[in-house]
Amino acid sequence: MWRLKRRRQEVRPEVAGEVAAQAAVTVAPAQPDLESAAFFDVDNTMMRGASIYHFARGLATRGLFTTSDLVKFAVGQAVFRLRGNENPEHIAVARETALAFVAGAKVDDVVRLGEEIYDEVMADRIWGGTRALAQSHLDAGQRVWLVTATPIELARVIAQRLGLTGALGTVAETSNGVYTGRLVGDLLHGPAKAEAVRALARREGLDLSLCTAYSDSANDLPMLSLVGNAVAINPDSELREYARKHDWPVKDFRTGRKATMTALPFAAGVGAVAGGVAAGIALRRLYRGRP
């Protein structure tokens, strides 16, 4: 019986970061620059919208849950974004719904669905400007890693499809190829991203003062502040102001009124709430054999 139990858990960014670094797998050949790398957030930095939401949308097209479910989750997500209140309680909910996303599912099935849905839904939502920035690092012989709250299996699919070095993402516990419904560490969000980058740098022998990080959100200031070169991409208002005060480059690849963008499913933590719930419902139905 699929069930999601609400649990209180102490958030320990250093644990989540270390776990994410240990789970990081290089999916592209090593580059000649052994000391520097680039780290890219995914949601609204590399991709328009939240990757987990797009995954849920792909599941909806397969009839695994209703369009009205998807709309309900998207509207709730937009409300969170407009209020700007991605507080600890919301992050706790994000953690729990990240568990719902995979509980009881087979790892191989999630990876297969992720590959299919990336090609169908996500590929056209990659920001061309951000992709070009990533390619410029690769061309310079540097490694390029995605750093995201998205489950690591989906993050790896995105990295593979983009030809990047690899990905750091939220790690879910598995047993015999099936997700248990528990996280290893915690959601890779906020300070945990910085800890993951720090742990990966130790493992890979990187000099963080020579590295570059990119993000759209002030939630990623710990990661951005960790490296020698920080760049704000499609920034929220808080990150834009911080970047201005600290002379960080700002690149905005959006068009039209920025206010309209809040209607789209963004924020990594909130994205895990909406998309994770939707994907959890879909996968539950899949494994119960329901249409």
Side-chain angles (χ1 to χ4, degrees):
M1 179 71 177
W2 177 92
R3 180 182 297 177
L4 177 64
K5 295 182 179 180
R6 181 173 293 273
R7 298 180 299 166
R8 293 292 178 184
Q9 179 179 337
E10 180 185 1
V11 177
R12 298 183 60 191
E14 67 279 8
V15 174
E18 188 65 40
V19 166
Q22 290 175 3
V25 175
T26 300
V27 297
Q31 303 297 320
D33 187 336
L34 300 179
E35 291 188 288
S36 59
F39 302 95
F40 285 81
D41 171 53
V42 174
D43 297 345
N44 203 37
T45 302
M46 181 63 73
M47 176 184 298
R48 294 195 303 275
S51 51
I52 189 68
Y53 174 87
H54 294 315
F55 182 81
R57 183 182 170 193
L59 294 175
T61 66
R62 287 160 170 77
L64 295 175
F65 62 99
T66 68
T67 302
S68 63
D69 286 334
L70 189 65
V71 170
K72 178 174 65 176
F73 297 134
V75 169
Q77 187 178 41
V79 169
F80 279 128
R81 181 67 174 183
L82 284 167
R83 292 176 179 172
N85 57 353
E86 197 172 331
N87 61 30
E89 179 63 24
H90 296 153
I91 299 304
V93 174
R95 180 191 307 119
E96 293 168 357
T97 52
L99 301 179
F101 165 73
V102 294
K106 296 178 181 177
V107 176
D108 289 346
D109 287 346
V110 170
V111 172
R112 174 180 54 81
L113 288 167
E115 291 172 343
E116 293 176 2
I117 292 170
Y118 177 88
D119 294 338
E120 295 171 7
V121 180
M122 300 182 193
D124 290 341
R125 287 168 173 77
I126 298 296
W127 293 107
T130 310
R131 178 68 186 87
L133 289 170
Q135 188 61 49
S136 70
H137 286 283
L138 293 173
D139 292 343
Q142 298 173 1
R143 285 161 282 184
V144 177
W145 294 82
L146 298 180
V147 187
T148 177
T150 292
I152 184 60
E153 289 77 14
L154 185 55
R156 284 176 185 157
V157 167
I158 299 170
Q160 289 172 336
R161 288 298 197 261
L162 293 176
L164 308 181
T165 307
L168 298 165
T170 297
V171 180
E173 182 183 78
T174 63
S175 177
N176 297 319
V178 176
Y179 294 105
T180 66
R182 293 184 292 272
L183 290 183
V184 181
D186 210 328
L187 195 70
L188 197 67
H189 179 270
K193 285 188 177 182
E195 294 298 334
V197 168
R198 184 179 284 112
L200 183 70
R202 288 195 300 267
R203 192 189 85 177
E204 299 286 308
L206 298 172
D207 182 344
L208 288 173
S209 69
L210 302 177
C211 293
T212 308
Y214 300 82
S215 179
D216 73 297
S217 174
N219 291 314
D220 287 339
L221 281 172
M223 177 179 75
L224 293 169
S225 301
L226 184 65
V227 298
N229 305 287
V231 182
I233 303 287
N234 307 325
D236 59 27
S237 57
E238 184 178 349
L239 178 58
R240 183 179 293 274
E241 179 63 17
Y242 191 94
R244 185 188 65 79
K245 289 181 178 179
H246 291 80
D247 295 322
W248 289 356
V250 175
K251 297 184 182 294
D252 203 322
F253 302 118
R254 297 170 294 189
T255 58
R257 292 175 55 217
K258 295 181 179 60
T260 64
M261 301 300 288
T262 57
L264 297 176
F266 287 130
V270 177
V273 175
V277 170
I281 289 174
L283 292 172
R284 177 182 63 180
R285 291 177 178 174
L286 174 64
Y287 283 95
R288 282 181 173 178
R290 288 204 247 165

